[in-house]
Amino acid sequence: KLNDELAKVRADLSPSLLAFFTLLIAKVEDQESRLSRLEVESARADRYSRRGAIVMSGLVMDGSENSDSLKQNVCNQLSTSGVKVVPSDLQACNRNQGKMSDPRPPSITVHLFDFSLKDAIMKAYRNFDSENQ
């Protein structure tokens, strides 16, 4: 884009100005490519950031549990807070590795698309105990 504009005014520029603008255009294009690369890397990193993550424990694991049933069980459990959660709100939902000697079911890490939904859930759970005493 910038090179096209420079080509239009090339005849009107002195050689030193032309060299300067060519250098500036190269630097701008380099910065644009770096920015694009960083945006992609940031999007990948955000996918598993802690900002939208909830770690749940105590959800019983049954023998026929699969990805879909786990998501539905997690949504049902989170919805008891009063905040409606549906499977499409979940970006990822995985059981963590538990110790073989631990009789409790392994915890679950849930990543939500919308971190404000996590905040609403956490606020509802924190207020749940104080309101029901």
Side-chain angles (χ1 to χ4, degrees):
K1 233 176 178 182
L2 292 174
N3 279 328
D4 296 338
E5 293 298 318
L6 183 61
K8 291 178 186 175
V9 295
R10 183 176 296 241
D12 298 334
L13 294 175
S14 68
S16 61
L17 250 126
L18 183 61
F20 177 72
F21 280 123
T22 303
L23 179 65
L24 280 177
I25 289 170
K27 286 194 178 276
V28 167
E29 289 173 346
D30 181 51
Q31 293 298 320
E32 286 175 343
S33 69
R34 284 183 184 190
L35 179 62
S36 295
R37 190 174 58 249
L38 287 173
E39 286 172 342
V40 168
E41 289 173 9
S42 174
R44 285 186 194 141
D46 278 348
R47 188 169 74 187
Y48 291 108
S49 73
R50 290 175 29 190
R51 188 175 187 189
I54 297 174
V55 177
M56 300 175 61
S57 59
L59 196 60
V60 180
M61 186 167 97
D62 62 359
S64 63
E65 184 177 87
N66 60 31
S67 173
D68 293 333
S69 67
L70 178 62
K71 276 188 173 185
Q72 191 58 54
N73 289 342
V74 165
C75 288
N76 292 342
Q77 185 64 39
L78 291 175
S79 293
T80 62
S81 69
V83 178
K84 181 149 176 62
V85 181
V86 294
S88 60
D89 293 330
L90 307 182
Q91 184 175 14
C93 181
N94 304 309
R95 281 226 183 245
N96 299 324
Q97 184 98 16
K99 293 181 181 176
M100 296 301 274
S101 61
D102 194 353
R104 298 175 297 179
S107 62
I108 301 168
T109 302
V110 181
H111 294 274
L112 300 164
F113 281 110
D114 184 6
F115 67 87
S116 63
L117 181 61
K118 174 202 173 182
D119 292 341
I121 292 167
M122 298 304 285
K123 184 176 180 182
Y125 268 109
R126 286 186 185 120
N127 292 334
F128 183 75
D129 289 335
S130 62
E131 291 174 0
N132 293 324
Q133 287 182 355

